[in-house]
Amino acid sequence: MKYKNIPDQNGYFGDFGGCFVSETLMPAIEELKETFVKMRKDKKFQNELKSYLKNYVGRPTPLYFAEKLSKKFQFKLYLKREDLCHTGAHKINNALAQVLLAKKMGKTRVIAETGAGQHGVATATAASLLGLKCRVYMGTEDMRRQSLNVFRMQLLGTEVIGIDSGSKTLKDAINEAFRDWVTHVKDTHYVLGTAFGAHPYPYMVREFMSVIGTEAYKQIKKAEKRLPDAVIACVGGGSNAIGIFSSFIKDKKVRLIGVEAGGKGIESGLHAARFAGGRVGVFQGTKSYLLQDENGQALTTHSVSAGLDYASVGPEHSFLREIKRASYSYATDEEALNGFSTLAKEEGIIPALESSHAVGYLISHAEEFKNQLIILNLSGRGDKDVIQVKEIMENMQ
Ligand SMILES: *Cc1c(COP(=O)(O)O)cnc(C)c1O
């Protein structure tokens, strides 16, 4: 199957994707689609975005040769350092681009939903920079667990609205954000945080994240005079992974590997590995793999890292898996924690718990990657996670 022309007009990647939203949101979705397509070719918009990415976010991020870790496990590993982006992760690439797009559409207000708070902080940052009003929806349970990120958003001038219904977590916050959008479509843009949701979001977020892959492709060719044997990334909704994969998809010899959160192990049922344990279903605007019960209700997921804790996965990943261009595996909480401490000890880099899943997977499968050239996308830094990891380690003793 040809890859280049996807998604189609209706936002389908093969059988996956689409646009499942209520009638009331269609005008906003259409406007977004039109503006995005126009701005992709708009020199002024692209230059403005490039300038912010360079001078504000700190791009290009380095491609770093992890020499000690490579020696220890007998592979040749390069880390794409998204952890060095302003605000500490890749999420700012997308948030900044979407808020800039909102401004071009004449919107004065952006809204977002957040679980762990990382996407909320990225959106609040971009809104502060570009002078738009910002409101972030967050479950009260998540607000309690992530009080520091709540305060961060408030410092940035964002209004954080606690959602006290349902499970008081991300799923409920998303529903509330949609309700807000329906009521305020005229002046408001909804900044979605990953390559998920109704068309054009998965496509648009991929394009905004593809800067990671574009840079990494050039950097590895310069450093090694060849393409890598494998590119590895963790997969929550799938934005950092699709961002780095996108440049390598055409080079069929490069293995693309997505790592999901295996939680306490697939057998225990406490995980977030949608490909290992899910079925195809429609959820929050799109058709993709989904962890669901026999009635099609989305299940609660379990992972040590909040950023990978989501019942579904971006539709383009489902497609890449179906056509066997990418493969998907998972790392358990334990493997992720091992990745977290090993990278800290060997390279002096404390990774985000999300990214630690990719590192943990690689270490567990080191034998398979012997003598190979690998790029691992280090999606974020672990400052936000050190207290949680400290508590886990103390409890293990
Ligand atoms: C949110 C987050 C992720 C997961 O999101 P994707 O859309 O799958 O990239 C991964 N890593 C970090 C550091 C995050 O903050």
Side-chain angles (χ1 to χ4, degrees), residues 141-156:
E141 179 55 26
D142 286 336
M143 282 177 80
R144 192 185 58 74
R145 287 189 289 207
Q146 303 288 340
S147 58
L148 206 57
N149 272 341
V150 174
F151 184 56
R152 254 186 211 123
M153 287 184 262
Q154 288 164 342
L155 277 176
L156 292 160

Side-chain angles (χ1 to χ4, degrees), residues 224-275:
E224 292 290 332
K225 312 278 179 290
R226 72 172 183 104
L227 291 175
D229 297 301
V231 176
I232 304 177
C234 67
V235 181
S239 71
N240 88 86
I242 205 69
I244 193 158
F245 286 0
S246 58
S247 296
F248 297 92
I249 286 170
K250 62 181 186 307
D251 303 288
K252 299 249 163 59
K253 285 201 178 123
V254 180
R255 277 176 74 193
L256 306 175
I257 302 164
V259 183
E260 298 185 279
K264 300 205 181 311
I266 304 294
E267 316 74 36
S268 73
L270 302 175
H271 63 89
R274 291 69 44 101
F275 287 128

Side-chain angles (χ1 to χ4, degrees), residues 165-327:
S165 57
S167 57
K168 307 178 187 193
T169 57
L170 181 63
K171 209 168 69 180
D172 315 286
I174 293 177
N175 291 337
E176 205 54 40
F178 267 106
R179 213 160 293 151
D180 181 318
W181 201 24
V182 170
T183 329
H184 301 100
V185 281
K186 256 207 147 88
D187 67 351
T188 300
H189 171 64
Y190 180 8
V191 183
L192 214 137
T194 185
F196 194 75
H199 181 61
Y201 281 104
Y203 169 45
M204 181 171 77
V205 175
R206 175 191 83 198
E207 292 298 295
F208 288 152
M209 283 297 180
S210 66
V211 63
I212 306 172
T214 308
E215 287 173 9
Y217 196 93
K218 278 192 210 139
Q219 288 167 320
I220 197 73
K221 279 207 133 174
K222 183 149 186 242
E224 292 290 332
K225 312 278 179 290
R226 72 172 183 104
L227 291 175
D229 297 301
V231 176
I232 304 177
C234 67
V235 181
S239 71
N240 88 86
I242 205 69
I244 193 158
F245 286 0
S246 58
S247 296
F248 297 92
I249 286 170
K250 62 181 186 307
D251 303 288
K252 299 249 163 59
K253 285 201 178 123
V254 180
R255 277 176 74 193
L256 306 175
I257 302 164
V259 183
E260 298 185 279
K264 300 205 181 311
I266 304 294
E267 316 74 36
S268 73
L270 302 175
H271 63 89
R274 291 69 44 101
F275 287 128
R279 289 179 288 127
V280 177
V282 172
F283 183 56
Q284 290 177 329
T286 190
K287 187 175 167 194
S288 190
Y289 271 78
L290 171 66
L291 291 173
Q292 52 192 323
D293 64 18
E294 50 294 356
N295 301 318
Q297 289 294 313
L299 290 172
T300 316
T301 52
H302 300 266
S303 162
V304 68
S305 96
L308 301 185
D309 227 343
Y310 189 60
S312 189
V313 58
E316 192 166 0
H317 287 292
S318 292
F319 179 66
L320 287 173
R321 179 174 179 264
E322 180 154 296
I323 62 171
K324 298 194 163 57
R325 181 59 194 95
S327 63

Side-chain angles (χ1 to χ4, degrees), residues 89-91 118 193-195 234-241 307-308 352 354-355 379-381 384:
H90 67 292
K91 286 201 171 73
Q118 295 306 110
T194 185
C234 67
V235 181
S239 71
N240 88 86
L308 301 185
E354 291 84 359
S355 330
S379 54
R381 69 177 86 125
K384 66 182 178 58

Side-chain angles (χ1 to χ4, degrees), residues 50-63 80-82 84-85 93 211-212 214-216 218-219:
K50 245 186 225 155
S51 164
Y52 281 124
L53 289 176
K54 176 166 184 268
N55 302 307
Y56 188 76
V57 174
R59 306 208 70 90
T61 59
L63 186 73
K80 180 60 175 159
R81 299 289 309 274
E82 291 303 293
L84 295 177
C85 289
N93 302 317
V211 63
I212 306 172
T214 308
E215 287 173 9
K218 278 192 210 139
Q219 288 167 320

